[in-house]
Amino acid sequence: MLVRVAAAVTVARVGVARRPPRLSARAFSSCASTRPGQENVKPLDGIKVLDLTRVLAGPFASMILGDLGAEVIKVEKPGSGDDTRSWGPPFVGDESAYFLSVNRNKKSIAVNMKDPRGAKLILELAGVCDVLMENFVPGKLSKMGLGYEDVRRAAPRLVYCSISGYGQTGPMSQSPGYDSIASAVSGMMHITGPEGGEPVRPGVAMTDLATGLYAHGAIMAALLWRDKMGRGLHIDCNLLSSQVACLTHIAANYLNAGKEAKRWGTAHESIVPYQGFRTRDGHLVVAAGNNKQFARVCEVLDLSHLADEPKYSSNTLRVRNRKELLRILSDRFSEKRTSEWLGKFEGTGVPCGPINNIQQVFSDAQVAHNDLIMRMEHPTAGKIAVPGPAVRFSGFKSDSSTAPPVIGQHTVQVLRETLGYGHEDVEQLLKAGTVFQHEVR
């Protein structure tokens, strides 16, 4: 039987876990000023997140929580770790760029959860954490004694967030969740692609990312709810529901008017001109949302007579006569370079921008100004760069980050500091293969 270094840290404490710090609503709001000793206090400082997720939706959500100050303990399978560690090329050293993109500000512990001692270890960690995140097929964790009801008995104040493909119940609940499949089933692929062409998968896994954003928001709301009610709850977050909810007006068009959606490429079905146009050396997007902006477009293109034609006098008529109008506009846009058109549109009040490749994105002055490139030193890969946080706050900075961990980099640290395990306990678990520690030089 394992011996703990302190009587307060025993197996029995799983049932009477140390109460996580009570989080008030005030902690979630950024302050205009800080008092001495409170510089750069983040809203989730003191919050512990036990992250059993892998791939994209869950890790994306837990990374945002980490950016906000939470201590994220990422649980990985010894040996292979998170699936995305092998998703390459490209690799930076031994790490895939994919994994590096969504796993900063986390500690990695490698635990064999199929080993009863490993499952017990997870239950102990849940007892001292505020949030548990998981994305297993519904019911799988319950078989290990780690389902919501199992954990709730040990940690009644825990926020337990389940991320799945289709929800915890229902006819598709046992189907594994993959972004491309959920994107197809939800209708996202049906509305994405060139007009008259085949369905297209979005360039990034938007269904996964939308689910991660929903999960992050739901966890924040659940922590506030816990603060009011004094107990935790279970969050059912899934790819299908997230993407269907994101259909917004496309869904409303069908639900209220019976209008089936179609693919429009870069165009907008209800506004003309509102799309991408080919230039002499690339592409740009023009979005004329009203008659005044349309007249300005015609003026810039030296086609002012179009604004005076009755068949283009309103957006409704422009939509009705879109093919002829867009043919005329497209011919004119093809005559000059993208930069020339952007210069002509500057100051006109017409929304306009280039369709950038990724190199151009990260050379953009506004992207640089918004600090969207985060550079850090990785323990094995050396200098790396990843997309930085999208949101800024007035009361604290989110520019200080730790690099994504290697598998099991923090196993011993978490066992000792978070659970209070002694040297002999840790050695037994390492020797048995229940846990794994990566020695970083």
Side-chain angles (χ1 to χ4, degrees):
M1 181 176 179
L2 297 177
V3 180
R4 305 291 181 262
V5 288
V9 192
T10 63
V11 175
R13 77 183 181 302
V14 172
V16 289
R18 186 178 67 212
R19 285 172 65 91
R22 185 171 175 79
L23 188 68
S24 67
R26 186 179 304 163
F28 282 83
S29 61
S30 60
C31 301
S33 61
T34 57
R35 294 191 296 272
Q38 290 189 323
E39 291 80 7
N40 209 36
V41 174
K42 296 183 179 181
L44 295 185
D45 283 348
I47 294 296
K48 286 185 170 62
V49 177
L50 183 59
D51 184 9
L52 308 185
T53 68
R54 63 271 190 213
V55 187
L56 184 54
F60 185 56
S62 61
M63 180 181 70
I64 298 172
L65 298 175
D67 287 343
L68 295 175
E71 178 186 352
V72 180
I73 301 171
K74 181 179 179 70
V75 180
E76 299 191 72
K77 181 180 178 181
S80 57
D82 189 313
D83 300 40
T84 60
R85 287 188 181 275
S86 64
W87 286 10
F91 291 93
V92 186
D94 294 329
E95 300 292 336
S96 75
Y98 197 120
F99 177 85
L100 295 176
S101 71
V102 290
N103 283 288
R104 65 174 174 264
N105 288 329
K106 300 177 185 180
K107 297 176 178 178
S108 171
I109 65 171
V111 181
N112 179 6
M113 292 173 55
K114 293 182 179 180
D115 182 335
R117 289 170 295 185
K120 187 171 104 176
L121 179 63
I122 298 301
L123 192 61
E124 290 186 49
L125 281 169
V128 294
C129 285
D130 302 272
V131 178
L132 183 150
M133 300 174 60
E134 60 91 7
N135 63 348
F136 287 79
V137 172
K140 187 169 183 180
L141 282 181
S142 295
K143 294 178 181 177
M144 302 180 194
L146 296 173
Y148 172 62
E149 291 301 327
D150 303 305
V151 176
R152 183 174 67 88
R153 287 190 290 270
R157 285 176 52 84
L158 185 79
V159 171
Y160 190 112
C161 179
S162 295
I163 300 174
S164 63
Y166 305 95
Q168 295 300 297
T169 58
M172 295 185 69
S173 63
Q174 293 303 298
S175 299
Y178 288 89
D179 172 89
S180 58
I181 308 303
S183 179
V185 174
S186 68
M188 178 67 163
M189 280 193 192
H190 175 71
I191 61 174
T192 305
E195 184 178 2
E198 295 296 313
V200 170
R201 176 184 175 274
V204 293
M206 286 308 305
T207 301
D208 266 340
L209 295 172
T211 305
L213 289 171
Y214 269 113
H216 147 250
I219 289 168
M220 298 290 276
L223 288 171
L224 285 170
W225 190 90
R226 181 188 76 168
D227 194 53
K228 294 176 179 179
M229 304 302 293
R231 62 181 185 276
L233 44 67
H234 187 202
I235 298 170
D236 178 356
C237 191
N238 66 84
L239 305 185
L240 178 65
S241 296
S242 297
Q243 189 57 72
V244 170
C246 286
L247 293 177
T248 57
H249 70 283
I250 297 296
N253 289 349
Y254 172 76
L255 294 172
N256 295 285
K259 184 178 181 181
E260 180 56 80
K262 57 177 279 190
R263 290 177 286 285
W264 286 98
T266 64
H268 195 296
E269 65 173 326
S270 303
I271 309 174
V272 173
Y274 198 105
Q275 66 177 71
F277 293 94
R278 181 182 290 277
T279 66
R280 184 186 293 182
D281 65 344
H283 297 83
L284 56 73
V285 171
V286 171
N290 55 51
N291 292 336
K292 183 178 179 180
Q293 290 177 342
F294 173 64
R296 290 284 178 84
V297 170
C298 296
E299 186 180 321
V300 169
L301 298 181
D302 197 20
L303 296 170
S304 295
H305 64 282
L306 293 178
D308 298 326
E309 292 195 23
K311 60 183 175 181
Y312 304 138
S313 62
S314 71
N315 181 68
T316 299
L317 291 171
R318 291 193 291 275
V319 170
R320 188 179 301 166
N321 298 292
R322 73 162 62 225
K323 287 189 177 181
E324 180 184 356
L325 175 59
L326 292 175
R327 184 165 52 250
I328 297 170
L329 298 182
S330 295
D331 288 345
R332 181 55 58 89
F333 273 115
S334 67
E335 295 175 3
K336 296 182 183 297
R337 296 176 180 274
T338 299
S339 60
E340 294 179 85
W341 286 125
L342 293 174
K344 287 179 175 295
F345 274 105
E346 188 172 351
T348 64
V350 176
C352 179
I355 297 181
N356 286 331
N357 62 29
I358 305 305
Q359 180 184 21
Q360 291 167 329
V361 169
F362 288 105
S363 300
D364 185 90
Q366 189 65 47
V367 170
H369 175 80
N370 289 356
D371 292 328
L372 290 172
I373 304 175
M374 179 171 281
R375 292 180 172 85
M376 56 190 74
E377 190 75 25
H378 187 273
T380 61
K383 296 184 184 300
I384 64 169
V386 296
V391 180
R392 291 180 176 183
F393 299 85
S394 64
F396 65 93
K397 296 180 180 179
S398 56
D399 57 357
S400 58
S401 295
T402 58
V406 296
I407 302 172
Q409 181 179 340
H410 304 93
T411 301
V412 171
Q413 178 188 346
V414 170
L415 290 176
R416 289 179 176 171
E417 297 179 5
T418 305
L419 291 180
Y421 277 43
H423 176 75
E424 290 184 7
D425 303 336
V426 172
E427 288 301 313
Q428 287 182 38
L429 290 170
L430 289 169
K431 196 175 208 181
T434 303
V435 301
F436 166 79
Q437 169 70 34
H438 192 297
E439 297 299 336
V440 178
R441 296 179 181 177

